[in-house]
Amino acid sequence: MFDIGVNLTSSQFAKDRDAVVERARAAGVRGMLLTGTNLHESEEALQLAKRYPGCWSTAGVHPHDSSSWTEETGAALRRLAAQPEVVAIGECGLDFNRNFSTPQEQERAFTAQLALAADLALPVFLHCRDAHSRFLTLLEPWLDKLPGAVVHCFTGTLEEARECLARGMWLGITGWVCDERRGQALREVVPHIPADRLLIETDAPYLLPRDLSPKPASRRNEPAHLGHILASVAQLRGEEAAWLSEKTDSNVQTLFGIRL
């Protein structure tokens, strides 16, 4: 299993990061992609990827942090992306749900990162929330210039999924599918995702699977719970978990160009 979305730089992991990584390995997680959400955390994610075998990282600015974007930010991300551990630009995209940065700031940072990824021939690690139409409008001109794109933590509708898939994107599925209340719509989408366009992730420490038992006292998600998510996704799709694990690992290698 490979977890494509781990926020290992989070302060929630500050006291036991080594143990978190060891628990993940013991649970069968072969590799992890550590998410960079701003320049500082992208630098930290790279250092952690260098520290832990089987880890890689992204370098980017999340839409929430888009107000911090400058030309110097782009230059710094370019330097980070020269490191072999950095295999994608992002997390980048649009989030019109909270608008911690204005839509205009988000669009400027998103477009700049798409241009950077195209110039570096790196895939993009994408975020989209309540912004699907505008997201596709900004993204579409770049897709034929990029080696790949994954919509991380996809929670959209079936129609939105089909529009992303028709444009050659991968979809990252989290423990959102393990919530029979909020995740019902996503549970209906999952069987329609082609196996060669599916990736799995925890988005740890967030999105602890609601049906996990026993639940950790901290209510913190960990990459060690990826197997639970994989099993849930496989059940929804009527597939064997072991087969799906191998398939999603193969997808990781195809998209990010890494060897497991």
Side-chain angles (χ1 to χ4, degrees), residues 17-244:
R17 196 168 278 115
D18 290 350
V20 167
V21 173
E22 286 304 315
R23 281 193 290 272
R25 288 175 179 155
V29 178
R30 299 173 63 195
M32 295 184 283
L33 184 60
L34 313 183
T35 311
T37 56
N38 55 45
L39 180 55
H40 175 67
E41 290 200 359
S42 295
E43 291 168 342
E44 287 192 334
L46 171 59
Q47 293 308 311
L48 291 173
K50 289 177 178 289
R51 175 177 171 182
Y52 297 114
C55 288
W56 290 263
S57 66
T58 73
V61 174
H62 190 287
H64 289 344
D65 291 307
S66 293
S67 61
S68 68
W69 182 269
T70 64
E71 289 187 7
E72 290 74 20
T73 305
L77 292 178
R78 181 181 292 272
R79 290 192 294 271
L80 289 179
Q83 298 295 310
E85 292 83 5
V86 177
V87 295
I89 296 298
E91 180 176 355
C92 61
L94 301 177
D95 191 315
F96 293 167
N97 178 265
R98 296 186 179 182
N99 285 322
F100 289 144
S101 295
T102 67
Q104 293 77 17
E105 289 168 333
Q106 293 183 45
E107 292 183 12
R108 179 170 64 99
F110 184 27
T111 299
Q113 289 176 89
L114 292 171
L116 177 62
D119 190 43
L120 298 175
L122 284 173
V124 283
F125 188 81
L126 300 170
H127 175 105
C128 181
R129 188 173 185 190
D130 293 352
H132 178 75
S133 177
R134 187 60 178 158
F135 173 79
L136 287 185
T137 297
L138 294 179
L139 176 60
E140 197 155 22
W142 295 97
L143 286 173
D144 63 352
K145 303 174 180 67
L146 296 166
V150 55
V151 184
H152 143 74
C153 191
F154 182 83
T155 55
T157 65
L158 180 57
E159 181 59 29
E160 289 170 350
R162 285 174 170 158
E163 290 181 349
C164 290
L165 293 166
R167 290 161 175 79
M169 288 183 259
W170 279 261
L171 301 181
I173 301 300
T174 66
W176 194 265
V177 297
C178 302
D179 188 330
E180 79 287 354
R181 305 169 306 165
R182 296 189 302 169
Q184 186 56 44
L186 183 61
R187 291 162 70 93
E188 294 170 4
V189 169
V190 163
H192 296 276
I193 303 172
D196 62 357
R197 292 288 160 177
L198 176 64
L199 297 163
I200 55 170
E201 53 181 316
T202 58
D203 201 26
Y206 314 114
L207 299 182
L208 178 70
R210 187 172 184 271
D211 60 356
L212 191 67
S213 182
K215 287 185 173 62
S218 66
R219 299 288 169 156
R220 180 188 70 177
N221 199 7
E222 290 191 15
H225 301 318
L226 187 66
H228 180 85
I229 296 168
L230 173 72
S232 298
V233 171
Q235 183 177 25
L236 289 168
R237 295 170 58 84
E239 296 165 345
E240 292 292 332
W243 179 87
L244 189 59

